Amino acid sequence: NNFIAAALLSMSLAFGSMGVSLMFCLLTGVRTKRMVHNPMFLSTSPSDFWGRRWNTLIHGALKRGVFKPVWKYSNRTTAVMATFVASGAIHEYVWLMLFYVHELQRDDTGRCPECFSPLYGKSLIFFGWNGVLVALESLVGKLSLVQRVGKILPRFMVTALVVMMALPVGHLFTGDWIQGR
């Protein structure tokens, strides 16, 4: 189930980063900021999920390094899409480095039968889709009907709707973990 995989990934990032923060604070006396703010159960919109709740450390780097420079020379929608495409490209690069197959691991046919070989491009599609959701939110989120629905529905239902918008492509990001590869 993609939702369970995403929730587990969220908790892993949250607790893992808290552990690192605690050790850093104990060693240096410097307090750090929380990196994950319960996005799977408290998000009120796609931009809330990605901008204020999910991996705020990377969000800040992408905002400074991609979003603001692109927005300076174009519009918000282009800046949002460029930021999500950059995030997808970064994740693709991480997979490339994690699953690199060295020459010594290859057999006579040039393959490594026991190595995992991911299908590249899935992270780009996943983050591209989420970029579309954030861009659509900025285009239609201010409509009175959308505002009214957001105020009428209980928060847990709004969060469920936010998460469900990404679930159709969630398998592109978490599918390999679910399948145990």
Side-chain angles (χ1 to χ4, degrees):
N1 181 316
N2 288 326
F3 178 78
I4 292 170
L8 289 173
L9 177 60
S10 176
M11 287 188 285
S12 173
L13 277 173
F15 292 122
S17 64
M18 276 193 264
V20 170
S21 288
L22 176 64
M23 294 304 295
F24 185 78
C25 183
L26 290 173
L27 293 172
T28 65
V30 176
R31 294 187 60 148
T32 60
K33 294 180 179 181
R34 281 179 53 195
M35 201 167 101
V36 180
H37 301 273
N38 203 358
M40 298 299 294
F41 300 103
L42 295 178
S43 296
T44 57
S45 68
S47 61
D48 182 47
F49 183 100
W50 291 109
R52 291 178 279 285
R53 298 190 176 279
W54 185 270
N55 204 342
T56 57
L57 177 71
I58 299 302
H59 165 78
L62 287 168
K63 186 172 185 175
R64 288 185 305 277
V66 180
F67 181 82
K68 286 183 177 182
V70 173
W71 195 13
K72 184 177 180 179
Y73 297 103
S74 66
N75 57 50
R76 185 180 190 283
T77 301
T78 303
V80 165
M81 291 308 298
T83 303
F84 277 89
V85 167
S87 182
I90 290 166
H91 283 82
E92 293 290 344
Y93 179 75
V94 168
W95 291 147
L96 183 67
M97 293 298 105
L98 281 175
F99 300 112
Y100 174 75
V101 178
H102 192 274
E103 237 177 75
L104 298 174
Q105 294 173 287
R106 300 177 193 273
D107 62 15
D108 294 337
T109 65
R111 299 187 149 207
C112 177
E114 65 272 355
C115 298
F116 174 64
S117 181
L119 178 62
Y120 294 104
K122 294 190 299 185
S123 290
L124 277 170
I125 296 168
F126 172 79
F127 284 99
W129 172 254
N130 281 284
V132 168
L133 294 178
V134 172
L136 283 174
E137 174 195 344
S138 69
L139 297 173
V140 300
K142 305 240 186 309
L143 296 175
S144 61
L145 175 66
V146 174
Q147 293 289 318
R148 206 169 323 132
V149 168
K151 289 177 183 171
I152 293 170
L153 291 177
R155 185 175 181 143
F156 79 90
M157 289 182 76
V158 172
T159 301
L161 289 171
V162 168
V163 172
M164 283 192 300
M165 286 189 282
L167 285 181
V169 295
H171 66 284
L172 296 172
F173 193 71
T174 61
D176 293 330
W177 300 336
I178 291 170
Q179 294 172 8
R181 294 192 231 165

